[in-house]
C-alpha cells in the first residue's frame, strides 16, 4: 500500500499516518520529521533547510526530492509507504510520479485529511511535539506518552509563523487535491473529529 497524505499543517496527518504504520507496518516518510532531524544533526541539508523552515516557507524542491528518493529506496519502504508532508507542490507531485514509475511502483491513494483553517490555527498554536520521537499532543501534555521524552513547542507552531504556513498550504499544496482527483486516487476524510473516528473512515476508504 503506497499512500500520500494531504492536508493543511495540523490537520492530523501525522496521527493518521502513525495509526496506519501501527496497523500495516509500512514505512512512515515524513519530510518534516526528516528535515527536523537534519537540522538537529546540523548536517549540510539541515543548515540549508533551517531558515526556510523557521520562516514557514517550503524548503527548495531539489533538497526535499533527494531526501524522499533516498528514503523510498530503503528496505523498510519496499512493502509500502505513507508519505506525510510530501508532495507539497505540483513539481514535487510530478517528480514523485516519475520516480515511482521508474521503480515500477505507483500510488494507491492520496488521502486528504480535511480541516477548516480556523480549527487549524487553534490546533497548531496549542500543539506540542516530542523532542525525541516527534509524537504530537495538546499543550497540557508535558511528557511524551509514547517514549517519555520532553514535549516542546516547535518554532514554526508559534502564531507568527502559523499564518504563513497556512498561506503556503493554500497557494502551493491545496492544488494537489485537484491533481490527485484528476488521477482518480483522491480519498477525503473530515479531519475535524476525534482521531479514532477519523481513522475509522480512513480504514473504510482504503478497504485493504
Ligand atoms: P511539516 O512537519 O510537514 O509541517 O514540515 C515542517 C516544515 O518543513 C515545512 O513548513 C517546510 O518548511 C518543510 N517541509 C516539509 N516537507 C516539505 C516539502 N515536501 N517540501 C518543502 N518543504 C518541506
Amino acid at each position: 500500500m503506497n499512500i500520500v497524505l494531504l492536508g493543511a499543517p495540523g490537520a492530523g496527518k501525522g496521527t493518521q499516518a502513525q495509526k496506519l504504520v501501527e496497523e500495516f507496518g509500512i514505512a512512515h516518510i515524513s519530510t518534516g520529521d526528516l528535515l527536523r532531524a537534519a537540522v538537529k544533526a546540523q548536517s549540510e541539508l539541515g543548515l540549508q533547510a533551517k531558515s526556510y523552515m523557521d520562516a514557514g516557507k517550503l524548503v527548495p524542491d531539489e533538497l526535499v526530492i533527494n531526501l524522499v528518493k533516498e528514503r523510498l529506496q530503503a528496505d523498510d519502504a519496499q512493502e509500502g509507504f505513507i508519505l506525510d508532508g510530501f508532495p507539497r507542490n505540483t513539481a514535487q507531485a510530478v517528480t514523485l510520479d516519475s520516480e515511482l514509475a521508474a521503480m515500477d511502483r505507483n500510488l494507491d491513494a492520496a488521502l486528504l485529511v480535511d480541516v477548516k483553517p480556523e480549527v487549524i490555527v487553534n490546533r497548531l498554536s496549542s500543539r506540542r511535539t516530542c523532542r525525541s520521537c516527534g509524537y504530537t499532543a495538546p499543550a497540557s501534555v508535558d511528557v511524551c506518552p509514547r517514549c517519555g521524552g520532553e514535549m516542546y513547542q516547535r518554532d514554526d507552531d508559534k502564531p507568527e509563523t502559523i499564518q504563513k504556513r497556512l498561506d503556503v498550504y493554500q497557494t502551493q499544496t491545496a492544488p494537489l487535491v485537484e491533481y490527485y482527483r484528476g488521477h482518480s486516487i483522491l480519498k477525503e476524510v473530515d479531519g475535524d473529529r476525534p482521531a479514532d473516528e477519523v481513522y475509522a473512515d480512513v480504514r473504510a476508504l482504503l478497504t485493504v
Side-chain angles (χ1 to χ4, degrees):
M1 182 164 54
N2 302 331
I3 302 174
V4 159
L5 276 176
L6 293 174
K13 298 187 297 298
T15 305
Q16 296 304 315
Q18 203 52 53
K19 289 178 182 291
L20 287 165
V21 167
E22 277 161 22
E23 185 166 355
F24 298 105
I26 52 184
H28 178 195
I29 306 178
S30 157
T31 43
D33 285 352
L34 292 170
L35 289 167
R36 278 184 289 281
V39 170
K40 195 170 169 190
Q42 300 190 319
S43 67
E44 183 61 31
L45 168 66
L47 296 173
Q48 287 176 287
K50 187 174 184 325
S51 59
Y52 296 95
M53 296 172 75
D54 286 348
K57 295 182 184 164
L58 293 185
V59 172
D61 287 345
E62 61 275 16
L63 299 179
V64 185
I65 286 168
N66 283 338
L67 198 61
V68 171
K69 270 195 212 170
E70 212 172 281
R71 196 59 191 79
L72 286 173
Q73 310 282 353
D75 286 349
D76 71 327
Q78 301 318 304
E79 295 300 313
F81 58 79
I82 301 172
L83 276 169
D84 169 4
F86 184 95
R88 280 288 228 279
N89 59 29
T90 309
Q92 293 182 8
V94 170
T95 308
L96 176 64
D97 284 345
S98 58
E99 283 304 317
L100 289 175
M103 294 164 76
D104 215 10
R105 302 171 77 177
N106 65 323
L107 287 176
D108 298 304
L111 183 68
L112 170 65
V113 183
D114 201 14
V115 179
K116 292 186 269 322
E118 53 277 21
V119 177
I120 295 282
V121 175
N122 288 335
R123 275 197 195 177
L124 283 182
S125 47
S126 68
R127 176 168 84 171
R128 298 296 178 268
T129 301
C130 174
R131 266 192 211 286
S132 308
C133 75
Y135 186 88
T136 55
S140 51
V141 178
D142 46 31
V143 175
C144 175
R146 189 162 71 183
C147 77
E150 180 201 353
M151 303 297 283
Y152 80 112
Q153 184 173 37
R154 278 170 44 179
D155 280 343
D156 60 354
D157 280 348
K158 296 192 172 146
E160 52 279 20
T161 318
I162 291 174
Q163 194 53 50
K164 175 73 194 156
R165 292 169 68 206
L166 288 175
D167 291 346
V168 168
Y169 177 77
Q170 279 309 333
T171 54
Q172 304 200 48
T173 312
L176 294 182
V177 172
E178 293 314 315
Y179 179 89
Y180 287 117
R181 203 193 303 278
H183 285 61
S184 307
I185 56 167
L186 183 73
K187 316 256 181 207
E188 299 174 66
V189 286
D190 173 4
D192 190 8
R193 292 172 303 152
D196 286 340
E197 284 179 31
V198 178
Y199 189 62
D201 281 6
V202 168
R203 286 292 282 105
L205 279 171
L206 294 177
T207 55
V208 278

